[in-house]
Amino acid sequence: MAGARVFQSSLACWIGPLLFVACIDHNGDGTDAVDADAEPAVQVTPQYLNFGVWSQEDGALQEEFTIRNVGGSDLDVISVEISGYAAGTFSLVGGAISLTLPPDTEEVLVVEFAPPNAGEHTANVIVTSDTATPKVAVELYGTTAQTEDDGDSG
């Protein structure tokens, strides 16, 4: 913006003759009065688990994901469940859970894939918590290799 001057005070910032941007400093020390980090915040990684191609000889395949509290207060994980069209082909090792994570802590969970039939299988792990974004999903994907017994015999 040519010729724009920026004026800053502890109450507001002003940029140019027509653009006003609030820059409120409630504490007078460069921080805002509302501490966003005081709230719990959930982070789930990875957001996608690909089990690849499974065959019965492989036995059950397992993949891990992590639930982490990146906020500033306790995170209440109300439930962790698998849902979706092929939910029955995936399972949480240890079953559905609920837990409380203090700030800066994490829980590693394991998903198992052992489908009963051939084809592509998709579902989601749904993590429900007490955060501003109460539901976070981890996508699950796996394919079952077709065996000779599964094919048409003509």
Side-chain angles (χ1 to χ4, degrees):
M1 207 182 307
R5 296 187 315 171
V6 177
F7 299 95
Q8 186 171 2
S9 72
S10 64
L11 297 177
C13 299
W14 179 75
I15 302 175
L18 300 176
L19 179 62
F20 178 78
V21 179
C23 296
I24 299 171
D25 179 7
H26 295 284
N27 294 336
D29 64 358
T31 63
D32 196 2
V34 178
D35 185 3
D37 291 334
E39 297 295 319
V42 65
Q43 179 184 57
V44 178
T45 55
Q47 295 177 341
Y48 182 79
L49 296 177
N50 186 344
F51 290 84
V53 178
W54 178 86
S55 67
Q56 195 163 7
E57 296 82 33
D58 293 335
L61 299 177
Q62 294 185 341
E63 293 285 342
E64 297 179 343
F65 71 97
T66 303
I67 302 171
R68 182 168 191 56
N69 181 359
V70 295
S73 64
D74 285 356
L75 168 68
D76 290 323
V77 176
I78 299 161
S79 67
V80 180
E81 300 173 319
I82 296 177
S83 68
Y85 180 74
T89 62
F90 301 92
S91 61
L92 283 169
V93 174
I97 65 160
S98 64
L99 57 99
T100 299
L101 291 173
D104 247 356
T105 61
E106 64 187 34
E107 183 76 19
V108 176
L109 299 175
V110 178
V111 177
E112 193 169 85
F113 177 59
N117 54 6
E120 292 185 2
H121 305 277
T122 60
N124 292 293
V125 173
I126 305 296
V127 177
T128 305
S129 67
D130 65 341
T131 62
T133 306
K135 291 188 186 267
V136 179
V138 176
E139 295 179 45
L140 306 174
Y141 177 79
T143 302
T144 307
Q146 189 165 351
T147 63
E148 290 180 29
D149 294 338
D150 293 336
D152 293 332
S153 57

